[in-house]
Amino acid sequence: MNEIFENIKQVKQKIAEAAISVGRAPEEVTLVAATKMNDADRVKQAVAGGIDVAGENRVQELMDKYDKGAYEGVPLHFIGTLQTNKVKYLVGKVDLIQSVDSLKLVKEISRVAAKRGICQDILIEINIGGEESKSGISPSDLEEFIEEISKMNNVRVRGLMTIPPILSVGAKNEPYFRKMKELFVDISGKKYDNISMDILSMGMSSDFEEAIRCGATMVRVGTGIFGARHYS
Ligand SMILES: *Cc1c(COP(=O)(O)O)cnc(C)c1O
């Protein structure tokens, strides 16, 4: 059997087990394949293998693979660092921009979406580890950020996303995942225009089961599906 197919089958099995272990239904968790550095053919194999969503990191890579039809059959998300000058390539083309980390960026998304007469779905990226070097909104600034976005007509917040700190061997991300879940529940309890909290995107190859046990509704898995990436 195709290796990518086999990997997806195993990842889905683990997703199901993690969900069931905390009394959740496996269908509550969406599997995003993080497709960076894998070519259009491999992405197509992953789509055929049953991933729910394709998640891309770089705009240029996304455009190339898009033109090759790599993502046909699944929704497409942008999950990488996004510069404002590249927003125009993504708005309306991707179903969800997961990595919105500044007011400047969300304003540009709103501007382009308005021009195109659409509403762009986004997630807010949270810097849950409070790392200076990391992008993302700090939890203490989140409410103010959301209040700003709720005034915009052409973006809709669908939830939160995070990439927790890279930890030393053996350390656990569970405390960060728990904090994310608390924030998510907190914001869900308040009513803002254009803001709904349906998606909590956290967990990667090494920790997606832990993230699911803490409440993730979406996991982003690269290595676990495609094998190790070869940086050249
Ligand atoms: C690459 C990437 C992932 C997946 O990482 P793996 O460790 O390979 O599973 C998830 N999220 C983002 C934002 C990524 O860039």
Side-chain angles (χ1 to χ4, degrees):
M1 195 180 179
N2 176 307
E3 193 185 320
I4 292 174
F5 277 35
E6 186 58 40
N7 289 344
I8 291 170
K9 206 174 125 197
Q10 284 178 17
V11 168
K12 284 184 141 182
Q13 180 67 31
K14 288 180 183 167
I15 288 174
E17 284 167 9
I20 289 165
S21 78
V22 289
R24 303 177 60 201
E27 306 78 55
E28 284 175 36
V29 183
T30 302
L31 173 59
V32 179
T35 51
K36 59 176 174 276
M37 300 180 71
N38 285 281
D39 65 18
D41 279 342
R42 290 172 64 80
V43 176
K44 282 181 191 174
Q45 287 176 42
V47 171
I51 60 166
D52 298 315
V53 173
E56 203 62 74
N57 277 74
R58 293 221 171 84
V59 174
Q60 188 58 53
E61 214 181 310
L62 181 148
M63 308 266 280
D64 291 346
K65 290 184 226 174
Y66 190 96
D67 288 343
K68 291 177 181 150
Y71 313 114
E72 277 168 22
V74 291
L76 174 59
H77 293 182
F78 189 77
I79 62 175
T81 305
L82 181 56
Q83 289 158 340
T84 42
N85 63 349
K86 305 253 173 85
V87 163
K88 58 179 179 283
Y89 300 116
L90 296 185
V91 169
K93 184 172 246 172
V94 301
D95 298 280
L96 185 69
I97 301 175
Q98 291 205 14
S99 39
V100 174
D101 60 1
S102 74
L103 198 54
K104 186 173 160 224
L105 182 60
V106 75
K107 278 181 175 162
E108 176 63 5
I109 293 170
S110 179
R111 189 188 70 80
V112 176
K115 224 168 81 180
R116 294 177 188 171
I118 60 163
C119 187
Q120 177 68 56
D121 282 347
I122 64 168
L123 301 183
I124 301 173
E125 182 174 346
I126 304 291
N127 182 357
I128 199 66
E131 297 167 284
E132 245 167 64
S133 59
K134 190 85 95 6
S135 54
I137 304 297
S138 109
S140 56
D141 294 338
L142 181 59
E143 281 207 43
E144 199 184 322
F145 190 65
I146 283 184
E147 276 165 23
E148 285 297 322
I149 300 178
S150 68
K151 297 174 197 157
M152 301 176 188
N153 293 322
N154 297 86
V155 283
R156 186 172 53 172
V157 175
R158 300 291 310 278
L160 306 177
M161 177 270 219
T162 200
I163 306 169
I166 295 167
L167 300 175
S168 51
V169 176
K172 293 271 175 209
N173 272 326
E174 189 186 317
Y176 297 114
F177 293 146
R178 297 230 176 270
K179 271 197 214 167
M180 283 296 295
K181 172 70 177 182
E182 278 172 30
L183 262 185
F184 185 75
V185 170
D186 232 39
I187 301 293
S188 307
K190 298 173 181 158
K191 290 285 162 256
Y192 298 101
D193 289 335
N194 310 324
I195 315 284
S196 60
M197 285 284 140
D198 317 312
I199 301 172
L200 180 55
S201 174
M202 58 186 191
M204 315 202 291
S205 294
S206 59
D207 54 17
F208 68 87
E209 292 158 282
E210 199 174 6
I212 290 166
R213 289 193 292 267
C214 296
T217 70
M218 187 172 274
V219 294
R220 309 176 309 267
V221 179
T223 314
I225 290 175
F226 296 106
R229 289 179 288 276
H230 299 288
Y231 294 89
S232 52

